[in-house]
Amino acid sequence: MNRAILALTLLLVNVPVSGQSATPSGDLGQTSPWLALSAEQRGRTERLTNLFRRNGAGSGRTLALRTRVRADLGRPSGLLQGLVEIQDARSTLTDEPFLVPALHANELDLLQLQVRVGADDIRGGDLDSEVRFGRFTLDLGRRRLVARNRMRNTTNAFDGAVWRLESPERWRLHILASRPVLIDPEALDSSHGTGTFWGSYYEQPMTQGWGYDVYALVVREPADAVLARRHVTLGGRLASRPSPGRVDIEVESAWQTGTVLARDHTAHFQHGEVGYTWAQAWTPRLSLHYDYASGRADAEDSDAGAFDTLFGSRRFEYGPTGIFGPFFRGNLQTPGARLSISPHTRVEVTTMSRGFWLADAGDRWLGTALVDPAGQSGSFVGTLFEVETRVTLVDVLAFEAGYAHLFKGRFADSAPGSPGTPDSQYFYAGWEVLLPDSR
């Protein structure tokens, strides 16, 4: 397969079915009872001052563009369905090379290509079942370990099968067996030789005000992989639903054991959150957070101890990603507070402040390549402040803008290889156009 075939597919899925015409409703139009088309296009300009990664590596500006076109085949309630989703992710007007290009660019590629076999209303409507075969994206639970990326310009995907068994409004179980897809910015993506990713994830939704998750996820990579991960993650989550006039909480705990780069690996992650939503205009919600993600326990120890967030998202907790994204869910401890308001039904404003310390001063600040094995640079990385605004003008068009300021601490200033720059500031602004399917 080559990109000419992908371009032809992209053309075909935009051709209306014979005998049908597009509607002026703002979506892609009614095409056929067995074909639904949808699309999204997003653009975002980004600017970062005072680069903070080792030796000042990375980009200080870019224009990130991402387009997705999706075709759903088969009747919505049919036993057999298909799905094709094509994504084109590019970054232009960039001043310097990206530290990890696969996070920013993935030109014209297959994001999803699958056959779905499903049955609703099993056992008198008590169970729904669906199996997807092929290439797929996936959100699990709070999205800390498996996520379909939102702010990041490229997207995690998997080749294999995932089975969803669900009792509507009561519980949901996902069982997956897959190979992670390796993103190639300029060639077609492939999962060949990437190893395996499999496990199960059980969720009880918060239908009665409380919900919980229990999961077991296993990754097995070949010995020549970058990290050669071979470990299992076991964990659970308990949360209450935010509602006006009531306190809500969330706790999650995850533990890992196995090997990384052939070294023994034992790590854990802990999350705690308490929030309150006021029952008044603008529905303000204030939440307090604390995360701990282990690092290497001992600088003299050859074991690996930094928690691995697998294929999870970090934007919703640790600030904007894009060319910024200073923090990963590993070797950190971070308290913080978040305030969100909605002055209009189509306007959301969020502010966040978090302090960041390394869980182990002798281990690396993940994502920056900065490390002081002797631990003499301390553990305080800095304080992050962020404000974000999203305005949905109409159902198909939204704008967002944000600002983040990293007040650098001792480690960021003095670790070996630090560029020694002043505080970093990050600005972004963008648009999103969503054309929902016609069914």
Side-chain angles (χ1 to χ4, degrees):
M1 178 181 292
N2 55 43
R3 285 218 159 82
I5 297 176
L6 280 180
L8 178 61
T9 304
L10 184 62
L11 174 64
L12 289 176
V13 298
N14 279 283
V15 176
V17 176
S18 178
Q20 304 292 332
S21 59
T23 66
S25 61
D27 58 27
L28 292 183
Q30 180 69 40
T31 53
S32 167
W34 52 267
L35 172 61
L37 305 177
S38 58
E40 63 178 81
Q41 200 283 326
R42 189 192 70 182
R44 182 179 65 238
T45 181
E46 306 177 46
R47 181 74 171 94
L48 173 63
T49 67
N50 301 323
L51 305 186
F52 50 83
R53 295 178 172 89
R54 184 178 179 87
N55 298 326
S59 173
R61 70 168 185 266
T62 192
L63 174 62
L65 302 170
R66 187 178 71 194
T67 302
R68 293 170 176 165
V69 176
R70 170 172 168 158
D72 288 89
L73 309 173
R75 295 181 180 275
S77 58
L79 177 64
L80 187 65
Q81 302 175 51
L83 185 155
V84 180
E85 185 175 20
I86 297 172
Q87 174 178 275
D88 184 78
R90 301 170 184 259
S91 291
T92 185
L93 304 180
T94 305
D95 57 347
E96 297 291 342
F98 297 119
L99 192 64
V100 184
L103 299 180
H104 304 275
N106 189 15
E107 298 179 2
L108 193 57
D109 223 313
L110 275 173
L111 182 58
Q112 297 194 86
L113 177 62
Q114 62 190 246
V115 173
R116 295 178 288 179
V117 181
D120 298 336
D121 301 330
I122 305 173
R123 266 184 12 186
D126 187 51
L127 286 177
D128 294 343
S129 176
E130 179 188 70
V131 183
R132 292 188 279 164
F133 301 95
R135 180 166 296 182
F136 58 87
T137 62
L138 189 63
D139 283 329
L140 290 179
R142 195 65 173 87
R143 304 176 60 251
R144 293 187 174 101
L145 298 175
V146 182
R148 176 182 165 104
N149 307 91
R150 296 179 184 173
M151 184 172 187
R152 199 182 90 185
N153 211 38
T154 59
T155 310
N156 295 326
F158 308 90
D159 286 342
V162 57
W163 176 34
R164 175 183 59 83
L165 184 64
E166 180 175 1
S167 179
E169 305 296 325
R170 295 174 59 192
W171 56 266
R172 181 184 307 114
L173 173 67
H174 282 94
I175 298 177
L176 70 150
S178 71
R179 299 188 310 193
V181 174
L182 182 65
I183 295 174
D184 189 318
E186 297 180 351
L188 288 177
D189 298 342
S190 172
S191 64
H192 179 71
T194 61
T196 60
F197 178 58
W198 54 277
S200 61
Y201 201 108
Y202 176 88
E203 302 173 69
Q204 178 179 289
M206 293 181 288
T207 53
Q208 303 299 323
W210 287 86
Y212 67 88
D213 305 347
V214 180
Y215 49 84
L217 301 169
V218 182
V219 61
R220 292 284 186 269
E221 294 178 337
D224 60 352
V226 175
L227 294 178
R229 300 176 296 179
R230 300 180 64 85
H231 56 63
V232 58
T233 303
L234 303 175
R237 171 177 169 264
L238 175 68
S240 61
R241 176 187 298 159
S243 57
R246 301 188 66 176
V247 174
D248 59 88
I249 68 168
E250 180 190 17
V251 293
E252 182 164 1
S253 179
W255 299 79
Q256 292 175 340
T257 182
T259 63
V260 172
L261 291 173
R263 297 183 298 171
D264 289 341
H265 174 72
T266 302
H268 65 101
F269 165 74
Q270 314 298 329
H271 168 80
E273 177 180 340
V274 58
Y276 184 82
T277 304
W278 279 266
Q280 56 184 265
W282 296 19
T283 57
R285 180 177 185 268
L286 175 66
S287 55
L288 304 178
H289 307 248
Y290 180 78
D291 283 12
Y292 181 94
S294 63
R296 184 180 58 196
D298 187 342
E300 303 300 326
D301 195 344
S302 61
D303 293 347
F307 185 78
D308 175 12
T309 197
L310 300 178
F311 308 96
S313 173
R314 54 198 171 101
R315 190 271 175 271
F316 66 95
E317 287 184 317
Y318 303 146
T321 51
I323 61 173
F324 186 53
F327 300 107
F328 286 75
R329 199 171 283 108
N331 191 34
L332 63 79
Q333 49 183 328
T334 167
R338 183 183 303 271
L339 175 65
S340 60
I341 58 174
S342 183
H344 187 275
T345 56
R346 294 184 177 272
V347 179
E348 299 176 10
V349 181
T350 302
T351 61
M352 182 270 287
S353 180
R354 297 191 80 132
F356 289 87
W357 286 258
L358 301 180
D360 183 344
D363 203 353
R364 67 186 62 250
W365 174 12
L366 295 180
T368 68
L370 290 175
V371 59
D372 183 354
Q376 296 180 351
S377 300
S379 62
F380 181 53
V381 176
T383 300
L384 178 65
F385 171 79
E386 176 199 1
V387 58
E388 173 193 20
T389 300
R390 182 177 177 88
V391 179
T392 304
L393 292 184
V394 292
D395 291 343
V396 299
L397 178 62
F399 292 93
E400 63 178 3
Y403 166 76
H405 190 120
L406 176 60
F407 298 89
K408 295 178 180 176
R410 178 185 170 192
F411 183 90
D413 283 335
S414 60
S418 167
T421 54
D423 292 348
S424 298
Q425 299 184 75
Y426 171 74
F427 309 83
Y428 70 94
W431 69 88
E432 186 175 43
V433 179
L434 301 173
L435 301 179
D437 68 55
S438 54
R439 293 192 298 197

